Amino acid sequence: MTAQASTINAQSQAFLDSASDLLGSKGLSRDPADIEPWLTDWRGRYSGRALALASPASTKEVAALLALCARHRVPVVPQGGNSGMVGGATPDASGAAILLSLRRMNAIREIDTDTGRAICEAGVILQTLHEAAEEAGMRFPLTLGGKGSATIGGLVSTNAGGTQVLRHGTMRAQVLGLEAVLADGSVFDALTALKKDNRGFDLKQLLIGSEGTLGIVTAASLRLLPAPRARATAWVGLSSITEARTLLRHMECDVGDCLEGFEVIPQHCLDSVLDHLPKARSPLSQEHAWHALIEMVHTEGDDHQLQSVMQESLVNASEKGIDFDAVLAANDRQADDFWLLRDSISAAERARGPAMQHDISVPVERMPEFILEASPALEREFSGARAVAFGHLGDGNVHFHVLAPEGATPGQWEVTEGKAISARVHDLVTRWGGSISAEHGIGQMKVDELGRLGDPVALAMMRAVKQALDPLGLLNPGKLVPPAHS
Amino acid sequence: MTAQASTINAQSQAFLDSASDLLGSKGLSRDPADIEPWLTDWRGRYSGRALALASPASTKEVAALLALCARHRVPVVPQGGNSGMVGGATPDASGAAILLSLRRMNAIREIDTDTGRAICEAGVILQTLHEAAEEAGMRFPLTLGGKGSATIGGLVSTNAGGTQVLRHGTMRAQVLGLEAVLADGSVFDALTALKKDNRGFDLKQLLIGSEGTLGIVTAASLRLLPAPRARATAWVGLSSITEARTLLRHMECDVGDCLEGFEVIPQHCLDSVLDHLPKARSPLSQEHAWHALIEMVHTEGDDHQLQSVMQESLVNASEKGIDFDAVLAANDRQADDFWLLRDSISAAERARGPAMQHDISVPVERMPEFILEASPALEREFSGARAVAFGHLGDGNVHFHVLAPEGATPGQWEVTEGKAISARVHDLVTRWGGSISAEHGIGQMKVDELGRLGDPVALAMMRAVKQALDPLGLLNPGKLVPPAHS
């Protein structure tokens, strides 16, 4: 830390003095004990350094700070819950940037049950919003594993997905209005929710998913839905992923208005989970090549009624000739047990050994063919590696993991063969018209791959827009936007 | 026309020769008989001139033409069905621009009932898509008055609205993928529909609603829904617009999944329509200050069942103390009669005399108060003028018309007092946090007003993005983006 302090020149010191005047001692810290925990991403893959940790308490303070940063040419790395998957909130090693935490801006400014709307500051934690909405008899219809730490600002900036996208869409679909601070410190205020507004480019859409490279999201107006009253959950065993897709299609037509989740899990993943969780049991007694976890939710009726609807739809599917075994969760506890199996896949696989994880998507209708072709192709090319795919079939978004061969050295395999495997997966996905980042974003992890595989026309547009809105290149540098000659 | 021809200098001639080589005689015309009909907007408010009419037959031809235009610095004014409301597709008087018609690109490339998707070229007429979807047992869930001429390219470029936005959203919500040609002739190809894709800025969103100022939409991948099987329509009489909003809220909670339309009409408008259509009758025998036209649509059951649901919901509303008279359409013919009354308001008002029409929105929950405050304020300020509001209450989008005092001179009143009235309406809407363009766009009609009233931060962002993606300023110049010192 003394080394870090010694790099502060007179210019930096002048900036820090001004920032300190602006934010006070609660708002600006140079104490390594305060800063250190936020310099590494939660999975420990990326680490960096920072000039200071800024924690402004209001949009006004963020605006003043960004104006100051622009004046002093100080880069800014925004951070919410530090629960991202691609190192998007971790500064680089130079220590030139300030780390801008939005966590102090954690007020829910308004919950309006009449209009179905919540206005949240960037630092509000997802679970806090869930609880506040529930208390008001409403529901915020997006959730994901990191809900206990992920913040609204981070979720908006990364256009987060999760397990309810099938019915409710990604974060983009939840954002009714937005407030953000731009690179020059001006405040873009589009918080007022208008259902129809054709006054030019929809700039809000540009900020959503831009990972802090075009502006810092400070607040969002979010849609709330009526609270669900009924839930039905089924675990289904199938002979193939193609059959799983056929069942999904059937249920979308049949009960599409209630279908919230359709997750697929291969037997291999289930086995890993059962090894990993000694108390867990497989919902079905027999083995199946594929399993599907299906959830329906409705705002009317009760669990029992919705379970009947689910059962009827499955009977219809069976009568149509779709072949499967199924068991319905009898109660919430059993449903939670089913979901625990799904949610434990990543941890179970980590326990088995090194793996390269890929968050990819292809058009929904092509997903089964993609898995059937890509998995053996990779296993052929990389001897001993094993490809497993699981996740959100209904969104065309499958988490495609490739496990290291037995005996591979953790820490070494990932950066050698693992890297080659990822490149190959990305090649395949691109050839299938898919995305190398379905829901985790680009951050620093995939920026080179985006530069390598992205459509040159889209990349040129991105660079032009970035240059236009952040001409000094101070907002989250090195993230998302591949440089021109990468 | 000889005057026009004489303005062609050697530079323009070289461009025209190359364009002619590129597009052939079907694709490029300088014949005034071909060009003339498209130089004035359909309402006859805006007129311009053009160097030539280009009608490319493919995306490749559009791309080659735009590259040529960039090389020769020739401005491009794209046009679909020429049915816009704000002069967005009419060139200026200079005659320097080519008029780029997308009407020849009218193929529906694909209708996929499995995935619920249609891929349409820009020139496909909305009604044609409706019919093709219906034939396939599906439905494209956006419609509007100009459906017989409006094209997909125009609808996407203007983020069109219409009467089903309440449930299905604007055009933005229908677009799954997009293909567009940029200012330098490069092709932005994001036609492949991915449900989840976080590879950087969502550039598609930037093009939707940009009125051809950032790129020329050549094709779109659009969502289709299952065809509706049941329809129920009610005409309701209410004592106030506030009571109408209360009823809307009730029905959104009660039958929100089926509620497609909630249009409000004041007695004054209904009277105008009944005068205008001698054969039409008021659905209710008594007069009411306000009327609401409510439509429900469902993919299951039949009309009779849905009518019962509608009736039950209205009974519930009545039991809650909401005060109204109601009549349900007994069949499709009667429902169509109800809609004819709604759809004839504009024509009926035109027949009464000059009027300034405003396509505005405010937050849905504030719409009643806005109408109650703005209408008398305007009538006080402009003696003899009469303010009437009708339209999409459920979207916070009301068409706010101000009728000229008796004896006003048509053609003169509009550009004098009428202009002052519009400025006043826009002032009021802006003060209420609303939009001076809810669904018609900005075009050339509102570009000065947007410059006057738009948020300076948003305007600066728009100009920066425009400069970044169209540095030569050749795409639909003078539209949408207010110049820096307007």
Side-chain angles (χ1 to χ4, degrees):
Chain A
M1 283 302 119
T2 35
Q4 187 179 349
S6 71
T7 64
I8 305 294
N9 57 24
Q11 166 71 9
S12 298
Q13 196 55 56
F15 164 76
L16 287 168
D17 290 345
S18 301
S20 192
D21 288 349
L22 188 70
L23 302 174
S25 60
K26 268 181 94 173
L28 192 85
S29 173
R30 298 213 57 234
D31 182 348
D34 291 342
I35 307 176
E36 197 63 30
W38 308 105
L39 292 177
T40 300
D41 78 308
W42 71 284
R43 295 200 299 185
R45 295 188 178 184
Y46 300 95
S47 257
R49 292 169 61 216
L51 196 57
L53 174 68
S55 308
S58 68
T59 303
K60 220 171 142 180
E61 284 188 1
V62 176
L65 179 66
L66 260 70
L68 190 68
C69 288
R71 212 149 50 238
H72 290 266
R73 306 288 193 270
V74 173
V76 181
V77 176
Q79 192 178 83
N82 195 26
S83 54
M85 306 292 273
V86 290
T90 309
D92 65 20
S94 71
I98 58 155
L99 192 58
L100 171 54
S101 165
L102 280 303
R103 285 180 292 272
R104 269 179 80 205
M105 289 186 61
N106 61 358
I108 297 181
R109 292 188 194 161
E110 178 190 313
I111 287 206
D112 186 334
T113 54
D114 266 2
T115 57
R117 197 175 56 208
I119 300 182
C120 294
E121 291 184 351
V124 170
I125 288 171
L126 179 55
Q127 189 158 344
T128 308
L129 173 59
H130 282 162
E131 288 161 7
E134 205 179 317
E135 241 171 70
M138 306 289 285
R139 169 194 195 201
F140 178 66
L142 183 139
T143 193
L144 38 71
K147 65 184 171 188
S149 52
T151 61
I152 296 304
L155 294 163
V156 171
S157 300
T158 58
N159 184 31
T163 50
Q164 296 168 352
V165 173
L166 178 61
R167 182 167 174 204
H168 300 293
T170 62
M171 200 65 186
R172 188 179 299 281
Q174 321 312 327
V175 175
L176 306 173
L178 201 66
E179 180 191 86
V181 177
L182 306 184
D184 63 357
S186 58
V187 177
F188 172 72
D189 178 359
L191 260 189
T192 304
L194 293 172
K195 277 208 179 177
K196 282 183 178 171
D197 182 12
N198 274 344
R199 281 175 298 174
F201 313 152
D202 193 342
L203 299 164
K204 174 175 88 239
Q205 302 291 349
L206 198 55
L207 289 161
I208 298 169
S210 65
E211 300 184 8
T213 62
L214 300 179
I216 311 295
V217 171
T218 48
S221 181
L222 302 169
R223 72 170 177 149
L224 299 179
L225 299 180
R229 290 191 214 153
R231 179 188 184 199
T233 311
W235 187 280
V236 174
L238 299 126
S239 62
S240 71
I241 182 72
T242 313
E243 199 76 348
R245 182 188 52 183
T246 307
L247 180 60
L248 167 65
R249 282 273 166 72
H250 161 77
M251 296 201 69
E252 280 188 316
C253 290
D254 211 32
V255 291
D257 278 0
C258 314
L259 195 63
E260 292 235 335
F262 199 105
E263 303 284 308
V264 289
I265 302 131
Q267 182 69 41
H268 178 271
C269 282
L270 182 60
D271 289 341
S272 298
V273 171
L274 297 173
D275 284 351
H276 185 65
L277 303 176
K279 287 187 181 167
R281 287 190 319 162
S282 172
L284 295 165
S285 51
Q286 272 196 298
E287 291 209 347
H288 295 269
W290 284 87
H291 300 260
L293 175 55
I294 308 174
E295 182 144 298
M296 286 168 57
V297 161
H298 202 37
T299 52
E300 279 165 49
D302 58 25
D303 287 359
H304 187 72
Q305 283 172 314
L306 198 61
Q307 281 159 8
S308 302
V309 174
M310 170 90 86
Q311 189 142 25
E312 197 180 324
S313 183
L314 289 172
V315 168
N316 291 343
S318 191
E319 281 169 1
K320 269 187 182 173
I322 307 174
D323 189 26
F324 59 91
D325 277 356
V327 56
L328 262 71
N331 49 44
D332 267 357
R333 201 186 44 73
Q334 212 171 356
D336 291 345
D337 285 347
F338 289 0
W339 275 102
L340 181 66
L341 296 175
R342 158 68 183 88
D343 291 338
S344 304
I345 295 175
S346 284
E349 288 212 339
R350 266 197 298 276
R352 277 210 166 182
M356 300 306 290
Q357 308 180 349
H358 309 96
D359 159 49
I360 56 169
S361 68
V362 298
V364 181
E365 69 276 16
R366 306 187 70 186
M367 186 48 96
E369 288 75 19
F370 173 79
I371 294 173
L372 292 174
E373 191 172 302
S375 300
L378 280 157
E379 290 171 358
R380 256 195 320 272
E381 190 173 346
F382 299 94
S383 176
R386 172 139 198 189
V388 293
F390 65 94
H392 323 298
L393 179 67
D395 307 326
N397 169 206
V398 166
H399 297 289
F400 193 87
H401 291 195
V402 182
L403 318 185
E406 273 184 51
T409 312
Q412 203 206 320
W413 178 81
E414 289 91 335
V415 292
T416 52
E417 189 173 73
K419 206 169 166 191
I421 287 174
S422 288
R424 204 67 194 86
V425 170
H426 295 158
D427 288 345
L428 285 165
V429 159
T430 304
R431 202 191 302 150
W432 282 71
S435 170
I436 64 165
S437 177
E439 57 180 8
H440 295 166
I442 298 296
Q444 51 183 298
M445 184 165 106
K446 291 186 179 173
V447 71
D448 289 345
E449 283 295 82
L450 181 59
R452 183 172 75 87
L453 293 167
D455 169 21
V457 174
L459 292 178
M461 284 177 85
M462 280 178 62
R463 288 181 196 119
V465 168
K466 168 72 176 174
Q467 172 67 25
L469 298 184
D470 179 21
L472 301 173
L474 297 177
L475 296 183
N476 216 4
K479 315 288 167 57
L480 188 64
V481 186
H485 301 290
S486 75
Chain B
M1 284 304 119
T2 34
Q4 186 180 352
S6 71
T7 64
I8 305 296
N9 57 25
Q11 166 72 7
S12 298
Q13 196 56 56
F15 164 77
L16 287 168
D17 291 345
S18 301
S20 191
D21 286 351
L22 189 70
L23 303 174
S25 59
K26 268 180 95 173
L28 192 85
S29 173
R30 297 212 58 235
D31 182 348
D34 292 340
I35 307 176
E36 197 63 30
W38 308 106
L39 292 176
T40 300
D41 78 308
W42 71 284
R43 296 200 298 186
R45 293 187 179 185
Y46 300 95
S47 257
R49 291 169 62 216
L51 197 58
L53 174 67
S55 309
S58 67
T59 303
K60 219 170 141 181
E61 285 189 1
V62 176
L65 179 66
L66 260 69
L68 190 67
C69 288
R71 210 146 53 238
H72 289 266
R73 306 287 193 269
V74 173
V76 179
V77 177
Q79 193 178 82
N82 194 26
S83 54
M85 306 291 273
V86 290
T90 309
D92 65 21
S94 73
I98 58 154
L99 192 58
L100 170 54
S101 165
L102 279 303
R103 285 179 293 273
R104 268 179 82 205
M105 289 184 61
N106 62 357
I108 298 181
R109 292 189 196 160
E110 176 189 316
I111 286 204
D112 185 335
T113 54
D114 266 1
T115 58
R117 195 173 59 207
I119 299 181
C120 294
E121 291 184 349
V124 170
I125 288 171
L126 179 54
Q127 189 157 347
T128 308
L129 173 59
H130 282 162
E131 288 162 6
E134 206 179 316
E135 241 170 72
M138 306 290 284
R139 170 194 193 200
F140 179 65
L142 184 140
T143 191
L144 37 71
K147 66 185 171 188
S149 52
T151 60
I152 296 304
L155 294 163
V156 172
S157 300
T158 58
N159 184 29
T163 51
Q164 296 168 352
V165 173
L166 177 60
R167 183 167 172 204
H168 301 292
T170 63
M171 199 64 185
R172 188 179 300 280
Q174 321 312 326
V175 176
L176 306 174
L178 202 67
E179 180 191 86
V181 177
L182 306 183
D184 63 357
S186 58
V187 178
F188 172 72
D189 179 359
L191 260 190
T192 304
L194 294 172
K195 278 207 180 178
K196 281 183 177 172
D197 182 12
N198 275 344
R199 280 176 296 173
F201 313 152
D202 193 342
L203 299 163
K204 173 176 87 236
Q205 303 292 349
L206 199 55
L207 290 162
I208 298 170
S210 66
E211 301 184 7
T213 63
L214 300 180
I216 311 294
V217 171
T218 48
S221 180
L222 302 168
R223 74 171 177 146
L224 300 179
L225 299 180
R229 288 191 215 154
R231 178 189 185 198
T233 311
W235 187 280
V236 174
L238 300 127
S239 62
S240 72
I241 182 74
T242 314
E243 200 75 351
R245 183 188 50 182
T246 308
L247 180 61
L248 167 65
R249 282 272 167 71
H250 161 76
M251 297 200 68
E252 280 188 316
C253 290
D254 211 33
V255 290
D257 277 0
C258 315
L259 195 63
E260 293 235 336
F262 199 107
E263 302 284 308
V264 290
I265 303 131
Q267 183 69 41
H268 178 273
C269 281
L270 182 59
D271 290 342
S272 298
V273 171
L274 296 174
D275 284 353
H276 186 66
L277 302 176
K279 286 186 183 167
R281 287 188 318 161
S282 173
L284 295 166
S285 50
Q286 272 195 299
E287 291 208 346
H288 296 269
W290 284 89
H291 301 259
L293 175 55
I294 308 173
E295 182 144 298
M296 285 168 58
V297 162
H298 203 38
T299 51
E300 279 165 47
D302 58 25
D303 288 358
H304 187 73
Q305 283 172 313
L306 198 61
Q307 280 160 8
S308 301
V309 174
M310 169 90 87
Q311 189 142 25
E312 197 180 324
S313 182
L314 290 170
V315 168
N316 291 344
S318 192
E319 282 169 0
K320 270 188 183 172
I322 306 174
D323 189 28
F324 59 89
D325 277 357
V327 55
L328 262 71
N331 49 45
D332 267 357
R333 200 186 45 72
Q334 214 172 354
D336 291 346
D337 285 348
F338 290 0
W339 275 102
L340 181 65
L341 296 175
R342 159 66 184 90
D343 290 338
S344 303
I345 295 175
S346 283
E349 287 210 338
R350 266 198 297 277
R352 276 208 167 182
M356 299 307 289
Q357 308 180 349
H358 309 96
D359 159 49
I360 56 170
S361 67
V362 297
V364 181
E365 69 276 17
R366 306 188 69 184
M367 186 48 96
E369 287 74 19
F370 173 79
I371 293 173
L372 292 173
E373 192 173 301
S375 299
L378 280 158
E379 289 171 359
R380 257 194 321 272
E381 190 174 345
F382 298 94
S383 175
R386 171 139 201 190
V388 293
F390 65 93
H392 323 298
L393 180 67
D395 307 325
N397 169 206
V398 166
H399 297 288
F400 194 87
H401 291 193
V402 182
L403 317 184
E406 273 185 50
T409 313
Q412 202 205 322
W413 177 81
E414 289 91 335
V415 292
T416 51
E417 190 174 72
K419 207 172 165 187
I421 287 173
S422 288
R424 203 69 194 84
V425 170
H426 294 159
D427 288 345
L428 286 164
V429 159
T430 304
R431 201 189 304 149
W432 283 70
S435 170
I436 65 166
S437 177
E439 58 180 6
H440 296 166
I442 297 296
Q444 51 184 296
M445 185 165 104
K446 291 185 178 173
V447 71
D448 289 344
E449 283 295 81
L450 182 59
R452 183 171 76 86
L453 294 167
D455 169 20
V457 173
L459 292 179
M461 283 176 84
M462 279 177 61
R463 288 181 196 117
V465 169
K466 168 73 176 173
Q467 172 68 27
L469 297 184
D470 179 22
L472 301 172
L474 297 178
L475 295 184
N476 215 4
K479 315 289 167 55
L480 187 64
V481 186
H485 300 288
S486 76

